[in-house]
Amino acid sequence: MARTLDPPDFELSIELNPDAPAELQGIGTSYWELDGLDPETGDPVWTHRTRDLDFKVWSGTAHYAAAAAVTATVLEYFCTSCGGELTLTSRQALTHVRQGKNIDCRSCSAAVEDQAAKVLSPKASKERARRLSEQESVRLAEEEKRKLELGRREAIVERYPVENSSSEHLIDQASILAKVGALAVLHAVGDSGGLIYPIDFNDDSIGPDQSISSELFMAAWNANLLQIHPTSPSGAFVWEEDVKLGGGVYIHKARFFLPERALSNSASRSSPPLFVPGSTWPVCGRRNALNWPSWLGVSSRRKPAVTSFICSANTGCRI
């Protein structure tokens, strides 16, 4: 509930500086806009907080920007030094004079007049134009970046949609190496909200060495037991053009899922992308508790130790 304010018991006169730009004049008048007086303290209650005023392009201090734009005079109060009308240097000056403190006018406060003059100086105007140009360039660059990201997200969703499909066909067609690879990756990386990431081939979490780890992962991926999820960041993909996907995927950046834990991906099933290894791989995080997918045919009471393999050219990889 809004509190009830007392009406001002003084008159505040605002005079625009004709040499100030209209935008700055607006800031000056907003700075001095008054709602009323606090009924308990008697202090002025201002309509706008200084931090809500767009003064920083003009000056680092709100009351200097306001002083360059307008002259605020509180009638029936007088300057302590010269005895003339009390032109205010800041909001605080109005509070102080109403508390009975001695306050000097703007003419007797050289610092305020000097700073107000600097705000409107040719040098300041040139610097302000430069800053505004830089800000506009940054804004345009951010807008282009946002549009590019939106376009890329649409391209990712289009290539890697999540669709209804049974996982039984995939598991029936998959090799034992692909099945073991899916289990090994799930055991090593874990399942965070249904997503499997990051994939790391440099440690022994998936297989005993990098070569076997990549072989296991690729077998599972090419069999579509591991599929790319469309929430993968755009930086996980190679782009031929701004919003045209290439054929490459950076495995350590992409997010994967098991077809039982999310709907299967027909796009990746038809043409798995090329494996592009990254130069720097993220370290795999804490291993999560393992929940073996029932469709892989592994009993929850007997979980194989998938981090130990025997591999040869003749027999391939087996647990």
Side-chain angles (χ1 to χ4, degrees):
M1 182 177 179
R3 58 178 175 169
T4 302
L5 301 177
D6 292 338
D9 56 4
F10 57 87
E11 184 179 350
L12 189 63
S13 172
I14 304 297
E15 180 183 355
L16 297 178
N17 180 358
D19 295 329
E23 181 183 356
L24 183 58
Q25 289 178 347
I27 294 172
T29 54
S30 295
Y31 178 86
W32 290 110
E33 191 173 348
L34 185 68
D35 278 346
L37 301 177
D38 188 303
E40 296 182 1
T41 65
D43 292 338
V45 177
W46 303 101
T47 304
H48 306 283
R49 297 176 298 182
T50 55
R51 64 183 181 185
D52 294 333
L53 300 176
D54 190 19
F55 66 88
K56 291 187 177 180
V57 70
W58 301 91
S59 173
T61 308
H63 69 271
Y64 289 157
V70 302
T71 299
T73 304
V74 57
L75 305 182
E76 300 181 0
Y77 287 88
F78 301 94
C79 173
T80 301
S81 295
C82 69
E85 289 186 332
L86 185 58
T87 51
L88 297 170
T89 56
S90 67
R91 290 175 172 180
Q92 190 177 38
L94 178 59
T95 299
H96 285 171
V97 74
R98 298 192 70 259
Q99 293 173 348
K101 297 180 180 180
N102 294 330
I103 297 297
D104 287 343
C105 67
R106 280 182 50 168
S107 298
C108 295
S109 303
V112 175
E113 290 295 281
D114 290 345
Q115 291 297 327
K118 287 181 180 180
V119 169
L120 298 176
S121 69
K123 181 180 179 180
S125 297
K126 184 177 180 180
E127 177 62 19
R128 185 163 50 253
R130 184 191 65 79
R131 290 200 304 269
L132 288 173
S133 177
E134 288 181 352
Q135 290 175 5
E136 180 65 10
S137 297
V138 170
R139 188 192 66 79
L140 292 174
E142 289 296 324
E143 179 65 16
E144 287 300 314
K145 184 179 178 180
R146 187 187 67 83
K147 290 180 180 179
L148 176 62
E149 181 62 20
L150 288 175
R152 288 186 168 184
R153 293 247 57 88
E154 292 177 358
I156 294 168
V157 170
E158 182 178 357
R159 177 173 292 189
Y160 302 105
V162 179
E163 299 175 341
N164 285 312
S165 180
S166 172
S167 60
E168 294 180 2
H169 175 72
L170 295 177
I171 194 63
D172 289 342
Q173 297 297 315
S175 66
I176 185 62
L177 181 63
K179 297 175 186 179
V180 170
L183 290 173
V185 171
L186 179 61
H187 179 263
V189 181
D191 182 343
S192 176
L195 300 178
I196 302 170
Y197 68 97
I199 305 297
D200 184 4
F201 297 152
N202 282 343
D203 58 22
D204 63 350
S205 59
I206 298 176
D209 57 41
Q210 181 175 346
S211 176
I212 294 176
S213 296
S214 61
E215 181 182 3
L216 289 168
F217 171 82
M218 291 303 297
W221 188 19
N222 288 329
N224 290 295
L225 300 185
L226 293 172
Q227 299 176 16
I228 292 177
H229 197 274
T231 59
S232 298
S234 59
F237 303 93
V238 174
W239 298 88
E240 290 184 2
E241 298 176 10
D242 285 349
V243 294
K244 182 180 179 181
L245 273 169
V249 174
Y250 297 100
I251 301 301
H252 63 296
K253 295 181 179 180
R255 299 175 180 179
F256 298 84
F257 66 89
L258 297 173
E260 185 190 63
R261 301 188 177 199
L263 301 175
S264 69
N265 181 344
S266 61
S268 63
R269 190 165 61 242
S270 62
S271 56
L274 174 67
F275 169 39
V276 180
S279 57
T280 303
W281 299 83
V283 177
C284 186
R286 179 180 63 84
R287 298 185 186 183
N288 299 323
L290 182 61
N291 294 313
W292 297 98
S294 59
W295 57 267
L296 284 176
V298 179
S299 169
S300 60
R301 295 188 300 273
R302 185 178 180 183
K303 302 177 177 64
V306 296
T307 54
S308 178
F309 299 92
I310 301 174
C311 299
S312 70
N314 297 326
T315 62
C317 293
R318 57 186 174 85
I319 297 172

